[in-house]
Amino acid sequence: MTVERDVMEYDVLVVGAGPAGLAAACRLKQNAAEAGKEISVCVVEKGSEIGAHTLSGAVFEPRALNELFPNWKELGAPLNTPVKRDEVWFFTSPEKGIKTPGMFVPRTMHNEGNYVISLGNLCRWLGQQAESLGVEIYPGFAAQEILIDENNVVRGVQIGDMGVDHNGQPKEGFYTPGIELRAKYTLFGEGCRGHLGKRLLKRYQLDENSDAQHYGIGLKELWTIDPAKHEQGLVIHGAGWPLNSANPGGFFLYHLENNQVYVGLIVDLSYSNPHLSPFDEFQRIKHHPVLKQYLEGGKRVSYGARAICKGSYNSLPKMVFPGGALIGCDLGTLNYSKIKGSHSAMKSGMLAADAAAEALLAGGEGGDELNGYTEKFKASWLHDELYRDRNFGPAMHKFGVLFGAAFNYVDQNWFRGKSPITLHDDTPDHTTLKLAAESQKIVYPKPDGVISFDKLSSVFISSTNHAEDQPVHLKLTDPNIPIGKNLPLYDEPAQRYCPAGVYEVIGDAEKKFQINAQNCVHCKTCDIKDPAQNINWIAPEGSGGPNYGSM
Ligand SMILES: Cc1cc2nc3c(=O)[nH]c(=O)nc-3n(C[C@H](O)[C@H](O)[C@H](O)COP(=O)(O)OP(=O)(O)OC[C@H]3O[C@@H](n4cnc5c(N)ncnc54)[C@H](O)[C@@H]3O)c2cc1C
Ligand code: SF4
């Protein structure tokens, strides 16, 4: 069937209204205003509103924001809680832990000058700034396909069709073909494991000279706690129990304003035990006395999960291709030694924007490789920062939590990240699972409904929703792999690594793989961790997915 599509044209199109995309959009308009010229900018966002799909920690480093809006305080940016104090813990058992003396904490883990924020709220504010600068923003629009012309040049994106039934057929009275958004340059800022970014990496072989990208799954809850236990500005990080060197990760608990705390766990997706369930690890770590002391007597308000890409400098792919560029976590700019990617995402967006504006204001017609972006990146503080971070992740993977931490202490505090050694970790995360039969089974405690909860009640408070009767957005390349291969080898780990209960193996005599796609919180873990790389996450109909408030 030939479909007539509306077409809209811009100078620059930005995919994704995260910190990277919104900072890029603002910066483009600022450049145009300074030059007294016009640059048309459009941002599309798959969430129902800006911030609806944003999930972060978040301790925010304001460096990039200071550059973008030096007067952000006057403009009312939602940075209300300066960090007052850091604690770093190593949990030795379910009951015990050791607080690391400040002098032994890698300097990148110190948070003086940073703020505890809701990244979703910061994005909402950035969206308002972008709109007041003249950027057109369309929430509820999911970029589904990349428009590539006969000369291999990216010309924009196609928005997904609305009103299509689960067989891919138009629903009478509801069908609306997705429009084509064309641009001289398209900046892809979809965040970690963008589904279009993944295609761009492959098509233009952008990552052929970089180490494998590495990931974690971050699970997070927002709690309102007893005011007597609340210490606004306290930031707690830690590692150890219940995770270990073969299945690493770390937790956080941040005290923000209004007697609220964020509590979360990041599990490295290089974990090896297929019986491990990141969700259940998160639920049980909250019972550790160091965390429970704050949560007891409080009330859970929200839940969510999102993958984080942490390969950093060594995993950075080529950032440009004809007609566009990757920005933020779609590129992989998170600084793992700081566990921070918001400021670096913003900075990468701003650098891409500067390069695009320079080319357009000089009369360029776009469609070329934005090499100015690569040059600006190499000359920027972001490059310096990520270079200094390059050994952090590989050291943890190679030497384990304790020796890795010791290496990183020396690398960061003595050499300031500039030691002559560069460690590499080129093992992709989907290849690290051991066989189920050779791995220790894990019996997780039942949730008590007070501190710990089950998956379904958790997904409920993420306000996740997808329009019913639409094509399943989790595509299996080979539908036989989950039962035929993954089940006997790994007891089908998707049942456990998905933090939203999307994947189930049902049936006794005849096993069946069931996909409850409507529960998906868009974390992308299945796309990353499936050992056969058989699951492809693609954007569902716009507005579908979680509806996070202040995450
Ligand atoms: C649990 C956790 C804790 C973290 N803690 C911190 C912290 O304390 N400090 C810190 O600085 N960083 C932290 N980070 C990292 C930080 O959140 C990311 O680095 C940052 O959000 C990256 O910004 P981004 O704009 O690149 O991507 P994102 O913030 O992921 O934004 C991408 C946007 O693009 C949209 N999108 C994606 N695909 C499409 C599409 N096809 N069409 C339309 N829209 C699309 C998404 O809905 C989303 O709104 C944490 C991350 C996690 C998961
Ligand atoms: S289906 Fe995949 S992307 Fe969706 S919540 Fe589960 S693991 Fe995350």
Side-chain angles (χ1 to χ4, degrees), residues 111-323:
N111 281 299
E112 296 92 349
N114 297 334
Y115 294 79
V116 180
I117 65 158
S118 151
L119 188 63
N121 288 342
L122 180 63
C123 286
R124 289 179 181 99
W125 179 85
L126 280 170
Q128 288 162 8
Q129 307 314 307
E131 278 181 332
S132 66
L133 288 165
V135 175
E136 289 179 35
I137 305 184
Y138 297 109
F141 280 62
Q144 187 72 264
E145 301 291 338
I146 309 165
L147 302 175
I148 300 178
D149 73 10
E150 60 287 359
N151 296 318
N152 208 25
V153 176
V154 170
R155 295 293 180 189
V157 300
Q158 184 202 303
I159 300 302
D161 297 345
M162 308 284 272
V164 178
D165 74 13
H166 63 283
N167 294 318
Q169 296 304 312
K171 287 191 266 187
E172 219 180 308
F174 292 96
Y175 178 66
T176 317
I179 54 175
E180 281 189 12
L181 295 170
R182 296 189 195 156
K184 293 175 181 161
Y185 294 110
T186 306
L187 305 180
F188 291 82
E190 305 160 281
C192 175
R193 196 73 166 196
H195 90 279
L196 300 179
K198 184 175 150 185
R199 289 183 199 168
L200 290 163
L201 290 177
K202 194 164 174 209
R203 170 140 192 157
Y204 296 100
Q205 298 174 329
L206 301 175
D207 55 356
E208 63 180 353
N209 295 321
S210 34
D211 288 359
Q213 183 57 271
H214 294 286
Y215 303 89
I217 172 176
L219 305 112
K220 172 182 165 183
E221 292 172 353
L222 169 66
W223 284 66
T224 300
I225 65 163
D226 176 355
K229 298 176 178 176
H230 190 253
E231 186 185 335
Q232 190 164 339
L234 170 60
V235 163
I236 303 177
H237 286 115
W241 181 90
L243 301 173
N244 52 49
S245 290
N247 306 288
F251 67 86
F252 60 88
L253 190 142
Y254 306 148
H255 291 240
L256 58 155
E257 58 262 31
N258 300 329
N259 297 316
Q260 293 195 307
V261 297
Y262 292 131
V263 58
L265 179 71
I266 296 174
V267 176
D268 286 20
L269 287 178
S270 61
Y271 72 81
S272 59
N273 186 340
H275 301 298
L276 186 144
S277 158
F279 176 86
D280 293 294
E281 297 295 346
F282 176 42
Q283 294 307 317
R284 70 168 162 172
I285 201 175
K286 285 186 289 169
H287 285 272
H288 193 285
V290 170
L291 303 182
K292 193 176 165 187
Q293 62 174 324
Y294 298 111
L295 304 178
E296 224 163 17
K299 186 173 182 318
R300 190 172 74 140
V301 178
S302 187
Y303 163 83
R306 180 76 172 98
I308 182 167
C309 59
K310 57 190 193 58
S312 194
Y313 186 83
N314 295 337
S315 305
L316 282 177
K318 186 177 171 198
M319 46 219 295
V320 293
F321 43 84

Side-chain angles (χ1 to χ4, degrees), residues 17 42 57 65 82 94 119 124 151 173 198 249 257 338 362 384 389 392-393 415 420 462 473 485 495 546 548:
C42 171
L65 182 65
L119 188 63
R124 289 179 181 99
N151 296 318
K198 184 175 150 185
E257 58 262 31
K338 291 182 173 176
D384 179 59
D389 171 51
F392 197 91
F415 289 97
S462 69
H473 67 281
K485 192 172 169 199
Q495 301 177 81
Y548 296 135

Side-chain angles (χ1 to χ4, degrees), residues 473-474 497-503 519-527 537:
H473 67 281
L474 303 145
Y497 61 59
C498 172
V502 168
Y503 301 107
N519 282 4
C520 174
V521 295
H522 296 199
C523 75
K524 313 284 180 76
T525 302
C526 50
D527 194 286
W537 188 99

